Amino acid sequence: MKAVKRNFLVVEESIRLNEINNFQISRYFNPSDFNLEDKLNLHFDYSEGIGAKYIRILAVYIDTSKSLEPYEGIEYTEEFKLPFPVGGITKKNELSVSLKLKEDSKLLWKIGIQIRHEINTLIHLTIS
């Protein structure tokens, strides 16, 4: 069996979205890496690349109350579409989204970030 390399969310990161990664990335979330109460705030405060329509954020939650029975869903998703500013993202018009860390027995464990329309883009992300 081969070990899987997972990229975890960090406090500050520059994310390059291009043809190589199909204009999307995913980051796993480890709550012990952060000092958070009940929400994870993603702030996009800088970008290079103009012409994208929106940034798609996909929050993936895993239901800890369910066992791995056949055909039983244990993942739940929540989708956000943040409209991309015409001139790109700057400190004045930063984009942000708040994700719940926990809802009932569902825990946040993965975040997907995707750009649409496919334009080579560099986005700066900070976490609070």
Side-chain angles (χ1 to χ4, degrees), residues 69-91:
E69 299 296 325
Y71 309 108
E72 185 174 37
I74 60 167
E75 285 188 358
Y76 297 87
T77 61
E78 189 174 7
E79 181 179 11
F80 302 89
K81 288 184 180 179
L82 306 174
F84 206 86
V86 175
I89 302 169
T90 63
K91 289 278 185 188

Side-chain angles (χ1 to χ4, degrees), residues 12-15 43-47 122-126:
E12 188 172 346
E13 180 178 4
S14 292
I15 299 169
H43 302 280
F44 300 94
D45 58 7
Y46 173 78
S47 72
L122 176 71
I123 299 174
H124 185 254
L125 169 68
T126 54

Side-chain angles (χ1 to χ4, degrees), residues 72-116:
E72 185 174 37
I74 60 167
E75 285 188 358
Y76 297 87
T77 61
E78 189 174 7
E79 181 179 11
F80 302 89
K81 288 184 180 179
L82 306 174
F84 206 86
V86 175
I89 302 169
T90 63
K91 289 278 185 188
K92 289 182 181 178
N93 64 2
E94 82 172 26
L95 302 175
S96 62
V97 65
S98 292
L99 306 176
K100 294 177 189 172
L101 297 180
K102 181 179 179 180
E103 187 172 337
D104 301 323
S105 60
K106 297 171 190 79
L107 301 174
L108 179 65
W109 81 291
K110 188 163 96 172
I111 298 167
I113 300 172
Q114 186 176 39
I115 195 90
R116 288 288 175 239

Side-chain angles (χ1 to χ4, degrees), residues 16-25 118 120:
R16 186 161 305 278
L17 301 166
N18 54 30
E19 212 171 282
I20 294 169
N21 58 18
N22 200 26
F23 303 95
Q24 61 188 351
I25 59 114
E118 287 91 5
N120 288 341

